[in-house]
Amino acid sequence: MRSTISGYTALPKAHKFSAAAVAATGIAAVALAAVGAGTASAAPAVKPVAQNAQSFGETQQDELSKQTDAAAAQAKTAAVTAKAGAERTAKESASRSTERAALKPAK
């Protein structure tokens, strides 16, 4: 049976399957875009909003103290890690600086 699309019959099977796969992928993408537009996505996290200026200051101060505590904990962890690394490096350099036995010359 002859194809009504000119040049289509000259394509090898692999190209025909590739063209069909690309077309199917395009159709699937359009279908998912149409369906995805109608569904509700996950709502982003919303921070509490103050009702008056005084509670706004309290909320802001609470968040600031949380951030400060987190930064302090992170700095403490970094200091402990750096100290352990320095001790390990000092121990390794001490073991390398000791006298070693001379190698025997090759015969």
Side-chain angles (χ1 to χ4, degrees):
M1 180 172 176
R2 293 199 120 212
S3 174
T4 57
I5 302 172
S6 64
Y8 185 74
T9 57
L11 292 175
K13 270 189 179 179
H15 288 174
K16 290 178 187 177
F17 288 135
S18 291
V22 169
T25 304
I27 291 170
V30 170
L32 287 176
V35 171
T39 61
S41 61
V46 178
K47 292 184 179 182
V49 177
Q51 295 295 328
N52 57 28
Q54 193 166 21
S55 64
F56 173 74
E58 292 170 2
T59 305
Q60 188 177 20
Q61 190 62 35
D62 291 343
E63 189 167 332
L64 183 62
S65 65
K66 286 179 188 177
Q67 290 175 356
T68 305
D69 293 343
Q74 187 177 13
K76 184 177 179 181
T77 304
V80 169
T81 305
K83 184 178 178 183
E87 289 175 358
R88 184 175 358 103
T89 304
K91 189 182 289 186
E92 288 175 359
S93 64
S95 69
R96 292 183 186 148
S97 64
T98 59
E99 289 295 320
R100 309 239 170 156
L103 296 175
K104 296 179 183 178
K107 293 182 182 181

